Amino acid sequence: MTAADLPSQHHEQYQAFKQLGLKLDMSRGKPAPEQLDLSNALMASLDGYKAVDGTDGRNYGGTIGLPEARELFGKLLDVPAAQVVVDSSASLSLMHDVIIYSLLNGTSGHAPWVREPVTFLCPVPGYDRHFAICEARGIKMINIPMTEAGPDMDLVEKLVAEDASIKGMWCVPKYSNPGGVVYSDAVVARLAAMKTAAPDFRLMWDDAYRFHHLGERKLEVANILDACAQAGNPDRAIVFASSSKVTWAGSGIAALAASPANIAWWTKHAGIRSIGPDKINQLRHVRLLKDVATVEALMEQHRLLLKPKFEAVLAQFEHYLGDVPGVSWTRPQGGYFIDLVTPQGSAKRTVALAKEAGITLTPAGAAFPYGNDPKDSHIRIAPSFPSLDEITKAAQGIALSLRVALGA
């Protein structure tokens, strides 16, 4: 077989793949049933409904969370429990509320954002739901290219120093979605100390994958709250985390960590929104998760389930795409995604061909504000939910779809 025969060969392979009749949804980073089963003890973990301070978890109250839940997240995030709020089942809800409170009421000591144009910096590729919040609330977004160490800080520092409308920046500092980037200590320090034209600038620090390692080496990111305090900007960062991919994705608990002033600000406005969170669920989680060591042991079980799936995707990509010019992919050390990078102008076509072959992917462009990838070259791969056999087949199908899209 000559090189000229290869495009025809891959087209035939793609057509044969379509005949398998697969129906795989890889559009989101959902934990697999086997991962959810790891926390089934949540059903039996509630051996009482009283918190350590005597709060009855069945009743109203506890706006900022139960003491033991705040203590647990404080240890997990390496911040004092007094600087932690536990509320809701998803950290995305807390991020949304911080944006809404800032727009309508202003941040601590500052005027409401809604009185003037608001802009956010968005490292790309990034998390589509962050961008959806901004788009839905009329917040302008500016793309910030990602480097191997985090966002392009030269550009970030230039923009925030010049433009007072830039009120915030989205950050996924560890194993970023979808590129798997881990922010360096230098990047964290620069974000904490940079001069901003807006005195109420906020870092929306989404620490979603803090314990979600894929390799045996557990990478760490510098403490952003400590860095901001040391730089004289104690109120700059608000940290978000949850148990959504630790226990049950739809029935977890979420936390917000911030400076004392920001915690007081949050408490004031959240008290209008709610009479109190689901404290029974907080008790269930605290009694199951217990401490950092227990969480780390649970996440090691997640790692052992996830790692083979990621390795299967990488192996298929290497086999089918390793010789294709302009194609690359990330090899994440944690998190939930692989970023497949195609030659310019071919991501949407690849996603469409994969759909025809029974594989539903996140829409091409979703990892960019307004769903617009300027180069049409990024495809987010979510290996977690399908079985190992299914994800192996899916990776093959995605690779063949890309080769057909390229005529390669």
Side-chain angles (χ1 to χ4, degrees), residues 103 110-119 138-139 163-167 198-200:
L103 284 168
H110 297 279
W113 287 359
V114 75
R115 295 181 183 175
E116 54 191 82
V118 179
T119 303
I139 296 173
D163 188 350
S165 81
I166 299 176
K167 298 291 190 179
D200 48 353

Short mmCIF file of all heavy atoms in Angstrom, two decimals, residues 103 110-119 138-139 163-167 198-200:
data_model
loop_
_atom_site.label_atom_id
_atom_site.label_comp_id
_atom_site.label_asym_id
_atom_site.label_seq_id
_atom_site.Cartn_x
_atom_site.Cartn_y
_atom_site.Cartn_z
N LEU A 103 -22.69 42.13 40.54
CA LEU A 103 -23.38 42.98 39.58
C LEU A 103 -24.42 43.85 40.27
O LEU A 103 -24.50 45.06 40.02
CB LEU A 103 -24.07 42.12 38.51
CG LEU A 103 -23.18 41.51 37.43
CD1 LEU A 103 -23.95 40.46 36.64
CD2 LEU A 103 -22.63 42.58 36.50
N HIS A 110 -17.43 48.40 47.42
CA HIS A 110 -17.41 49.01 46.08
C HIS A 110 -18.80 49.04 45.47
O HIS A 110 -19.71 48.33 45.90
CB HIS A 110 -16.44 48.24 45.18
CG HIS A 110 -15.02 48.28 45.64
ND1 HIS A 110 -14.19 49.35 45.42
CD2 HIS A 110 -14.31 47.38 46.37
CE1 HIS A 110 -13.00 49.10 45.96
NE2 HIS A 110 -13.05 47.92 46.54
N ALA A 111 -18.95 49.86 44.44
CA ALA A 111 -20.25 50.07 43.80
C ALA A 111 -20.66 48.84 42.98
O ALA A 111 -19.81 48.06 42.54
CB ALA A 111 -20.17 51.30 42.88
N PRO A 112 -21.96 48.67 42.74
CA PRO A 112 -22.43 47.56 41.91
C PRO A 112 -21.80 47.59 40.52
O PRO A 112 -21.70 48.66 39.89
CB PRO A 112 -23.95 47.79 41.84
CG PRO A 112 -24.27 48.55 43.08
CD PRO A 112 -23.09 49.45 43.32
N TRP A 113 -21.40 46.46 40.05
CA TRP A 113 -20.79 46.38 38.72
C TRP A 113 -21.77 46.79 37.62
O TRP A 113 -21.36 47.26 36.55
CB TRP A 113 -20.34 44.94 38.45
CG TRP A 113 -19.12 44.53 39.21
CD1 TRP A 113 -18.38 45.29 40.08
CD2 TRP A 113 -18.48 43.24 39.19
NE1 TRP A 113 -17.34 44.56 40.59
CE2 TRP A 113 -17.37 43.29 40.06
CE3 TRP A 113 -18.76 42.05 38.52
CZ2 TRP A 113 -16.54 42.20 40.26
CZ3 TRP A 113 -17.93 40.95 38.72
CH2 TRP A 113 -16.83 41.03 39.59
N VAL A 114 -23.07 46.58 37.84
CA VAL A 114 -24.05 46.80 36.79
C VAL A 114 -24.11 48.27 36.36
O VAL A 114 -24.67 48.59 35.30
CB VAL A 114 -25.45 46.31 37.27
CG1 VAL A 114 -26.06 47.28 38.26
CG2 VAL A 114 -26.37 46.07 36.09
N ARG A 115 -23.53 49.15 37.14
CA ARG A 115 -23.57 50.58 36.80
C ARG A 115 -22.61 50.95 35.68
O ARG A 115 -22.64 52.08 35.18
CB ARG A 115 -23.24 51.41 38.04
CG ARG A 115 -24.26 51.30 39.16
CD ARG A 115 -23.88 52.16 40.34
NE ARG A 115 -24.83 52.01 41.46
CZ ARG A 115 -24.67 52.58 42.64
NH1 ARG A 115 -23.59 53.35 42.87
NH2 ARG A 115 -25.57 52.39 43.59
N GLU A 116 -21.77 50.05 35.27
CA GLU A 116 -20.77 50.36 34.24
C GLU A 116 -20.48 49.10 33.43
O GLU A 116 -20.85 47.99 33.84
CB GLU A 116 -19.49 50.87 34.89
CG GLU A 116 -18.93 49.92 35.95
CD GLU A 116 -17.83 50.55 36.77
OE1 GLU A 116 -18.16 51.29 37.73
OE2 GLU A 116 -16.66 50.31 36.46
N PRO A 117 -19.84 49.23 32.27
CA PRO A 117 -19.48 48.03 31.49
C PRO A 117 -18.55 47.12 32.30
O PRO A 117 -17.71 47.59 33.06
CB PRO A 117 -18.75 48.60 30.27
CG PRO A 117 -19.22 50.02 30.17
CD PRO A 117 -19.44 50.47 31.58
N VAL A 118 -18.75 45.83 32.16
CA VAL A 118 -17.95 44.85 32.88
C VAL A 118 -17.30 43.89 31.89
O VAL A 118 -17.95 43.41 30.96
CB VAL A 118 -18.81 44.05 33.88
CG1 VAL A 118 -17.96 43.00 34.60
CG2 VAL A 118 -19.47 44.99 34.89
N THR A 119 -16.02 43.64 32.12
CA THR A 119 -15.25 42.73 31.26
C THR A 119 -14.56 41.69 32.12
O THR A 119 -14.12 41.99 33.24
CB THR A 119 -14.19 43.51 30.47
OG1 THR A 119 -14.82 44.54 29.70
CG2 THR A 119 -13.41 42.60 29.53
N GLY A 138 -24.35 39.52 30.26
CA GLY A 138 -23.90 40.68 29.49
C GLY A 138 -22.49 41.13 29.81
O GLY A 138 -22.14 42.30 29.58
N ILE A 139 -21.66 40.24 30.32
CA ILE A 139 -20.27 40.57 30.65
C ILE A 139 -19.39 40.28 29.44
O ILE A 139 -19.37 39.15 28.93
CB ILE A 139 -19.80 39.76 31.87
CG1 ILE A 139 -20.62 40.15 33.10
CG2 ILE A 139 -18.31 39.99 32.12
CD1 ILE A 139 -20.33 39.29 34.32
N ASP A 163 -7.31 48.86 31.81
CA ASP A 163 -8.76 48.89 31.60
C ASP A 163 -9.50 48.65 32.92
O ASP A 163 -9.53 47.54 33.44
CB ASP A 163 -9.12 47.80 30.58
CG ASP A 163 -10.58 47.86 30.15
OD1 ASP A 163 -11.36 48.62 30.76
OD2 ASP A 163 -10.94 47.13 29.20
N ALA A 164 -10.14 49.68 33.43
CA ALA A 164 -10.88 49.58 34.69
C ALA A 164 -12.18 48.80 34.56
O ALA A 164 -12.80 48.44 35.57
CB ALA A 164 -11.17 50.97 35.24
N SER A 165 -12.62 48.52 33.33
CA SER A 165 -13.82 47.70 33.16
C SER A 165 -13.55 46.23 33.41
O SER A 165 -14.48 45.45 33.58
CB SER A 165 -14.40 47.88 31.75
OG SER A 165 -13.73 47.08 30.79
N ILE A 166 -12.26 45.84 33.43
CA ILE A 166 -11.92 44.45 33.68
C ILE A 166 -12.04 44.19 35.17
O ILE A 166 -11.20 44.58 35.97
CB ILE A 166 -10.50 44.12 33.17
CG1 ILE A 166 -10.43 44.33 31.66
CG2 ILE A 166 -10.13 42.68 33.52
CD1 ILE A 166 -9.04 44.12 31.07
N LYS A 167 -13.14 43.52 35.52
CA LYS A 167 -13.47 43.29 36.94
C LYS A 167 -13.05 41.92 37.44
O LYS A 167 -13.08 41.67 38.65
CB LYS A 167 -14.97 43.46 37.15
CG LYS A 167 -15.49 44.85 36.85
CD LYS A 167 -15.00 45.86 37.88
CE LYS A 167 -15.72 47.19 37.70
NZ LYS A 167 -15.27 48.19 38.71
N ALA A 198 -9.01 48.40 38.06
CA ALA A 198 -10.24 48.24 38.86
C ALA A 198 -9.87 47.84 40.27
O ALA A 198 -9.27 46.78 40.49
CB ALA A 198 -11.13 47.18 38.22
N PRO A 199 -10.21 48.65 41.27
CA PRO A 199 -9.87 48.30 42.66
C PRO A 199 -10.65 47.09 43.17
O PRO A 199 -10.25 46.48 44.16
CB PRO A 199 -10.25 49.56 43.44
CG PRO A 199 -11.28 50.24 42.60
CD PRO A 199 -10.90 49.95 41.19
N ASP A 200 -11.74 46.75 42.49
CA ASP A 200 -12.57 45.62 42.91
C ASP A 200 -12.41 44.41 41.98
O ASP A 200 -13.32 43.59 41.82
CB ASP A 200 -14.05 46.03 42.98
CG ASP A 200 -14.52 46.78 41.73
OD1 ASP A 200 -13.67 47.09 40.87
OD2 ASP A 200 -15.73 47.03 41.62
#
